[in-house]
Amino acid sequence: MKDRPAATPDVAESSASGIDSFLLSYIRTHPGQGFGAIVQAAQGACHVSRTTAARHLSRLVRFGTILQLSEGSYVIGDRTAATANAIAEVRWSDYTVVVNPDGSARIFIAQEWRVVAGEVDHIDFFSPKPPRRFIWWSSSAARLTRIPATRAVTRQTTHRLTWNTPVTARDSAWQWYRICYDLRPTYRMAFTPRGPSTSTGDTNHPDNEFETVEVKSRTRPFLQRLVPEAQVRLHVILPEGYPFGRVQCHVRLLAESARFDEPEEKRLARLGKEPGHQFGLRRDGTSFTLSVPRPLVDRHYEIAWSLPTVAGYRRWLSALSRQWAR
């Protein structure tokens, strides 16, 4: 018996398009039907196997074109629902903070990601204080809108990056965005010593400042997850000669920031001692880098540094002023 010749790409694409078109038309005219009825109808109309019909139905659900309701029935999706139910994968997330002597800073953020379910038409970036400038770049054509804190749902200044064409699960290509913005004085550069706290369970550390990077499982307006080969990286660059003290790495739970993830901290500590790579916490002068392979979602990966006293900070500023005056 001769082997059946393989379908050409054009024929295969036409066949797939025909099944998808039938499913969309059938669900539009028969809203609320369940999986079995829809698959059986596709089998009879398109002359395909149950497995093929089910695969196409699952594929359209993943794209967000069709929505599966909580009770198991199916309806045609809309753009708002497709975005709200979208899932994105993150492969690389990089956060860099360059701190200035007065506590202002320049922030650089870069992320590599793709949509694996539904579609994403925008992403929001929040700032408690309005940044002085906001520079951005995206691998897909987009536009930026600034939403004042008074009109934003979160009551924070929001910069919304909206793609001209929504990014969907139909395109498996990895996407990039990069942003840069300047913050007004935000970071504490010194502390005033005080007596020991009389309250129990006090987790505040007024003699420390810190910065974190994280990948949240839920971000506005979609879900996120990490691929197995994902990496996150946090850079903190303090001013040259700034009299900071001890620098530490911590991993905190996003939902309970007072709790530490001790196993994850120990893993990063081991990585930091291994030669031949740059994982863990590394230092180069006043620059610190925390590189995390295979990170966990909903964790604060933190670099914390001890602050000088107000007197020590003022002495450093005076010396810095004299140096600039030369």
Side-chain angles (χ1 to χ4, degrees):
M1 181 178 178
K2 292 183 178 180
D3 293 335
R4 180 180 297 176
T8 65
D10 288 343
V11 173
E13 183 176 344
S14 175
S15 176
S17 176
I19 299 171
D20 289 351
S21 296
F22 171 80
L23 287 169
L24 290 170
S25 176
Y26 183 83
I27 293 173
R28 186 176 288 109
T29 55
H30 301 78
Q33 287 208 354
F35 175 84
I38 296 171
V39 169
Q40 186 175 6
Q43 283 182 263
C46 302
H47 306 291
V48 296
S49 68
R50 178 180 176 85
T51 300
T52 298
R55 185 174 67 249
H56 279 266
L57 177 59
S58 175
R59 180 168 164 266
L60 291 173
V61 170
R62 181 165 59 87
F63 292 162
T65 310
I66 293 173
L67 295 181
Q68 183 180 16
L69 303 181
S70 57
E71 72 275 12
S73 62
Y74 294 79
V75 296
I76 297 298
D78 58 33
R79 176 150 294 175
T80 300
T83 296
N85 292 280
I87 300 174
E89 287 183 333
V90 177
R91 186 161 68 178
W92 178 264
S93 187
D94 188 278
Y95 190 90
T96 300
V97 180
V98 183
V99 182
N100 297 316
D102 64 348
S104 62
R106 176 162 290 183
I107 311 293
F108 300 87
I109 300 175
Q111 192 168 92
E112 184 183 25
W113 64 291
R114 67 180 176 187
V115 178
V116 293
E119 66 177 40
V120 173
D121 59 0
H122 74 275
I123 188 170
D124 292 334
F125 302 95
F126 307 108
S127 178
K129 297 181 180 180
R132 290 175 178 169
R133 60 175 63 87
F134 195 100
I135 303 168
W136 64 276
W137 174 86
S138 169
S139 56
S140 295
R143 62 187 183 279
L144 185 72
T145 306
R146 181 180 178 275
I147 305 173
T150 54
R151 291 198 294 110
V153 175
T154 60
R155 295 303 175 187
Q156 297 184 78
T157 300
T158 303
H159 287 83
R160 174 166 294 178
L161 196 62
T162 304
W163 283 276
N164 294 352
T165 301
V167 183
T168 75
R170 293 178 182 274
D171 183 1
S172 61
W174 289 96
Q175 305 284 332
W176 274 96
Y177 65 75
R178 305 177 190 273
I179 65 174
C180 170
Y181 57 91
D182 290 341
L183 286 178
R184 293 173 172 81
T186 300
Y187 292 90
R188 295 165 50 246
M189 302 301 290
F191 82 104
T192 302
R194 65 184 185 185
S197 174
T198 57
S199 62
T200 59
D202 185 9
T203 57
N204 294 323
H205 297 278
D207 58 340
N208 278 265
E209 182 61 286
F210 67 93
E211 189 51 82
T212 64
V213 64
E214 66 276 329
V215 174
K216 299 178 180 178
S217 57
R218 162 64 73 177
T219 187
R220 296 179 62 86
F222 50 88
L223 296 172
Q224 289 188 133
R225 68 189 187 197
L226 292 158
V227 297
E229 70 272 21
Q231 291 189 42
V232 301
R233 189 169 63 183
L234 171 63
H235 306 265
V236 174
I237 303 172
L238 300 175
E240 191 70 30
Y242 172 63
F244 61 91
R246 184 185 181 189
V247 176
Q248 302 177 74
C249 160
H250 296 299
V251 182
R252 301 175 185 267
L253 301 182
L254 191 65
E256 302 177 69
S257 59
R259 289 183 56 193
F260 296 97
D261 187 334
E262 293 185 5
E264 185 70 352
E265 288 187 355
K266 290 178 180 178
R267 182 177 78 94
L268 293 181
R270 288 194 300 269
L271 289 172
K273 295 176 182 177
E274 294 180 5
H277 58 64
Q278 295 297 311
F279 296 140
L281 180 61
R282 306 281 173 160
R283 175 177 178 176
D284 182 11
T286 59
S287 176
F288 301 89
T289 303
L290 177 60
S291 298
V292 184
R294 304 180 305 280
L296 303 174
V297 294
D298 294 335
R299 299 294 191 279
H300 284 300
Y301 288 94
E302 173 186 303
I303 295 178
W305 59 96
S306 296
L307 296 170
T309 63
V310 172
Y313 173 60
R314 288 175 177 170
R315 283 195 298 269
W316 172 70
L317 282 181
S318 297
L320 194 63
S321 298
R322 291 193 298 270
Q323 181 181 344
W324 287 346
R326 291 176 184 174

